[in-house]
């Protein structure tokens, strides 16, 4: 029996296959409840602090709507309007928040900021994106892959910036579930050795296969899922010029996707910039809107499982 009550949700790699599968199934249950227009305000009276150091369209709004449907109050906190922007220590923020709210959800520049909040706040802390990982995104994406391709044998390729938050979480999520995951990225932007080693340890247990290549065609050959993300993540704007040059051969174009399985799906966490052409993004292969929708259902699964004592 999976019990995540009181836990933090900082990285998928901290969770077992059974726990991730439970969260995917719970997300699907919440989706079905919405489809049936069924009341699900199981967390009535609870409060979530949504602390954001970076902009957001989907993560913030899916969390606010998830809180509303679950009967919670979402308290959005833009860092620039808090005393943290004037130097208040993050650990003091954590210690104060735990006296007010039931859960802290935070989008931060440095993953260590999340770890510090989690260290000093006794309540659950959820990663709403850091420089290292984006587990809420990939939890929703695993539901999308399950719906479209099943989670038994899908082969996934991530093409582009293989060393960013989304790529890391997709790597860990696929390794946990036991799926084949290929990262196609320029050598300089492949996941670092520690990340690969950690993912391979998980993969050895689950039967997942991990391939890292600097050849985009090798990455997408016969895959069921092609996933990409921006070449310049939030916080890396200074490197934009150099990155765009290096990533050019990894753009997801119609030429590239011809090498995938004929019924492949195209995924993108959004927002998009130059890393995919419109003909692929707007094609029948693209599942980006379903992917965005599933963020709402998986946000509910995470809030519910961390807060609800069954
Ligand atoms: N995919 C995602 O996290 O989007 P936002 O940055 O809009 O939240
Ligand atoms: N890798 C991107 C994801 C945005 C949802 C970024 O960090 O900006």
């Amino acid at each position: 029996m999976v019990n995540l009550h009181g836990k933090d949700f900082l990285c998928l790699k901290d969770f077992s296959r059974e726990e991730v599968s439970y969260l995917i199934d719970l997300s699907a249950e919440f989706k079905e409840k919405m489809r049936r227009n069924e009341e699900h305000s199981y967390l009535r009276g609870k409060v979530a602090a949504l602390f954001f150091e970076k902009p957001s369209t989907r993560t913030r709004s899916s969390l606010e709507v998830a809180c509303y449907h679950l009967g919670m109050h979402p308290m959005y906190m833009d860092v620039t309007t808090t005393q943290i922007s004037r130097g208040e220590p993050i650990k003091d923020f954590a210690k104060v928040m735990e006296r007010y709210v039931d859960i802290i959800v935070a989008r931060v520049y440095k993953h260590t900021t999340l770890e510090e909040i989690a260290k000093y706040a006794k309540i659950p802390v959820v990663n709403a994106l850091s420089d290292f990982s984006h587990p809420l995104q990939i939890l929703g994406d695993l539901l999308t892959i399950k719906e479209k391709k099943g989670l038994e044998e899908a082969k996934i390729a991530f093409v582009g910036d293989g060393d960013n938050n989304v790529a890391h979480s997709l790597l860990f999520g696929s390794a946990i579930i036991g799926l084949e995951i290929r990262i196609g990225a320029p050598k300089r932007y492949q996941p670092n050795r520690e990340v690969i080693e950690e993912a391979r340890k998980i993969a050895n247990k689950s039967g997942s296969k991990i391939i890292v290549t600097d050849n985009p065609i090798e990455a997408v050959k016969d895959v069921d899922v092609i996933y990409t993300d921006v070449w310049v993540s939030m916080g890396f704007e200074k490197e934009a010029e150099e990155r765009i040059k290096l990533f050019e051969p990894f753009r997801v174009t119609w030429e590239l996707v011809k090498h995938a399985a004929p019924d492949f799906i195209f995924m993108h966490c959004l927002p998009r910039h130059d890393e995919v052409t419109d003909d692929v993004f707007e094609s029948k292969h693209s599942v980006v809107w379903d992917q965005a929708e599933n963020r709402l259902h998986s946000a509910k699964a995470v809030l519910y499982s961390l807060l609800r004592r069954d």
Side-chain angles (χ1 to χ4, degrees):
M1 173 69 185
V2 171
N3 180 4
L4 300 178
H5 181 261
K7 283 205 169 196
D8 297 320
F9 187 77
L10 301 190
C11 255
L12 284 180
K13 67 182 170 62
D14 305 331
F15 294 85
S16 67
R17 183 180 193 158
E18 195 191 6
E19 288 168 337
V20 174
S21 303
Y22 163 81
L23 287 169
I24 297 168
D25 291 346
L26 192 55
S27 310
E29 274 179 45
F30 277 116
K31 185 169 187 169
E32 184 56 20
K33 280 183 200 300
M34 256 190 90
R35 196 187 64 77
R36 289 206 225 109
N37 216 2
E38 225 176 77
E39 163 83 34
H40 48 280
S41 53
Y42 305 125
L43 298 175
R44 218 169 293 124
K46 297 210 181 284
V47 179
L50 308 181
F51 173 72
F52 278 63
E53 290 182 348
K54 295 172 174 174
S56 167
T57 303
R58 283 143 288 272
T59 307
R60 176 191 174 175
S61 48
S62 61
L63 282 160
E64 288 210 19
V65 175
C67 284
Y68 176 73
H69 288 173
L70 289 168
M72 298 175 71
H73 173 70
M75 181 172 67
Y76 179 69
M77 305 175 79
D78 172 345
V79 67
T80 61
T81 63
T82 69
Q83 295 287 7
I84 293 166
S85 67
R86 299 179 61 248
E88 182 169 31
I90 201 76
K91 74 175 183 184
D92 293 7
F93 163 79
K95 286 178 175 185
V96 171
M97 280 306 126
E98 73 166 20
R99 307 278 176 120
Y100 296 158
V101 304
D102 299 281
I103 190 165
I104 300 171
V105 185
R107 169 167 285 199
V108 296
Y109 281 96
K110 290 191 187 135
H111 194 75
T112 48
T113 304
L114 275 173
E115 291 172 337
E116 202 174 348
I117 300 172
K119 181 173 168 191
Y120 289 101
K122 290 184 208 88
I123 53 177
V125 176
V126 174
N127 179 359
L129 181 148
S130 70
D131 56 349
F132 182 69
S133 60
H134 196 3
L136 277 180
Q137 175 68 49
I138 299 305
L139 183 62
D141 295 341
L142 288 172
L143 172 60
T144 309
I145 296 170
K146 183 172 185 176
E147 289 170 342
K148 309 286 178 192
K149 293 283 155 197
L151 283 180
E152 283 73 42
E153 288 183 6
K155 286 193 192 111
I156 305 171
F158 181 95
V159 185
D161 182 3
D163 199 27
N164 79 10
N165 39 22
V166 170
H168 288 165
S169 290
L170 186 64
L171 180 61
F172 290 130
S174 307
I176 292 164
I177 295 296
L179 301 172
E180 177 169 330
I181 169 82
R182 304 189 203 158
I183 307 274
K187 284 212 163 62
R188 217 164 128 197
Y189 291 101
Q190 293 175 351
N192 69 37
R193 197 150 40 102
E194 282 147 45
V195 169
I196 291 287
E197 273 171 20
E198 205 152 359
R200 285 207 202 281
K201 259 192 234 156
I202 301 169
N204 287 342
K205 281 195 238 153
S206 69
S208 153
K209 192 169 162 191
I210 297 172
I211 296 167
V212 182
T213 172
D214 61 356
N215 180 337
I217 296 176
E218 189 189 332
V220 304
K221 185 101 191 83
D222 299 328
V223 294
D224 305 292
V225 180
I226 297 182
Y227 198 128
T228 193
D229 182 17
V230 290
W231 294 337
V232 184
S233 284
M234 292 178 277
F236 295 86
E237 290 78 5
K238 280 196 191 123
E239 300 171 14
E241 203 180 321
E242 177 199 333
R243 282 170 168 265
I244 290 164
K245 259 188 244 152
L246 268 179
F247 286 124
E248 187 59 48
F250 294 84
R251 192 191 302 272
V252 178
T253 60
W254 201 249
E255 270 310 300
L256 182 65
V257 303
K258 276 186 194 153
H259 299 275
D263 58 349
F264 81 95
I265 56 170
F266 170 75
M267 299 182 76
H268 195 308
C269 54
L270 305 177
R272 67 174 156 136
H273 291 277
D274 307 320
E275 61 287 342
V276 55
T277 50
D278 276 355
D279 51 359
V280 176
F281 188 84
E282 305 285 0
S283 74
K284 65 175 194 264
H285 297 275
S286 177
V287 298
V288 295
W289 313 126
D290 294 328
Q291 216 184 326
E293 179 194 326
N294 282 341
R295 294 292 310 275
L296 172 60
H297 312 303
S298 55
K300 287 180 190 172
V302 170
L303 293 170
Y304 176 88
S305 59
L306 304 185
L307 288 175
R308 174 87 175 193
R309 202 191 290 272
D310 279 317

